[in-house]
Amino acid sequence: MPLQNFPSPDSDVIQHLPLYYDRPKMGKPGFLLTPFTTKLADGTPVAIRSLEREDIPGVHRIFEQAVQRGQGFGVDEIPPTELIEGIISGSYPGHAVVGELIESGRYLVAVMYVGPSLYCRSSTPVHADCYGLVDQSFGSRGAARFFGS
């Protein structure tokens, strides 16, 4: 059966998305999560906020714990400092969020990154993936619930 009354691709009836480079990018400076405080399942108070440069040692600590447990990351898969700085500054697409113990001096309990899929075989990925890691001592205390794990 032939299509009837199908509009021309040049018609105003068809709405086109803007080109990928005209769309807003999450990692650009100015896209910041409004920090908020909450409690883990065991009552431990935590702050949820955007990743900052001072958090990089804590991110590496959480990745190193996962390597030691053999849970999905090899030593050569820990993101280098330059990549994390790029996510923070916006030069690398995506956004990272952390959970920090309140009054701890930046002790991170979890980190989550949302950005272009690493598994998409395209120079301009059209969908995002989410990756999250939790400090091993907080794994059974409800930290992963904030990140949808």
Side-chain angles (χ1 to χ4, degrees):
M1 172 183 238
L3 294 174
Q4 297 177 353
N5 300 325
F6 189 74
S8 161
D10 298 324
S11 168
D12 291 336
V13 175
I14 295 183
Q15 297 178 2
H16 297 279
L17 291 173
L19 295 173
Y20 71 90
Y21 47 80
D22 290 333
R23 296 178 193 159
K25 293 178 176 58
M26 286 182 18
K28 292 289 184 187
F31 181 85
L32 296 176
L33 171 74
T34 301
F36 63 94
T37 58
T38 187
K39 293 182 179 179
L40 299 179
D42 68 353
T44 304
V46 294
I48 308 297
R49 60 175 175 73
S50 294
L51 179 69
E52 298 172 355
R53 188 168 195 323
E54 295 81 9
D55 298 322
I56 293 174
V59 171
H60 283 159
R61 176 184 49 78
I62 293 174
F63 268 92
E64 288 167 4
Q65 288 176 353
V67 170
Q68 291 170 359
R69 290 189 313 264
Q71 293 183 325
F73 293 92
V75 175
D76 60 337
E77 294 177 313
I78 295 175
T81 300
E82 296 78 22
L83 175 66
I84 298 171
E85 288 173 340
I87 293 168
I88 294 166
S89 71
S91 62
Y92 188 85
H95 193 69
V97 176
V98 297
E100 171 190 6
L101 279 180
I102 294 177
E103 300 176 12
S104 68
R106 292 195 174 271
Y107 190 87
L108 302 185
V109 299
V111 62
M112 181 185 75
Y113 166 76
V114 178
S117 173
L118 300 176
Y119 303 105
C120 182
R121 302 289 186 224
S122 170
S123 61
T124 56
V126 294
H127 63 280
D129 276 339
C130 172
Y131 309 94
L133 285 174
V134 176
D135 180 296
Q136 66 184 14
S137 60
F138 290 87
S140 61
R141 295 166 69 178
R145 293 184 67 197
F146 295 113
F147 301 116
S149 299

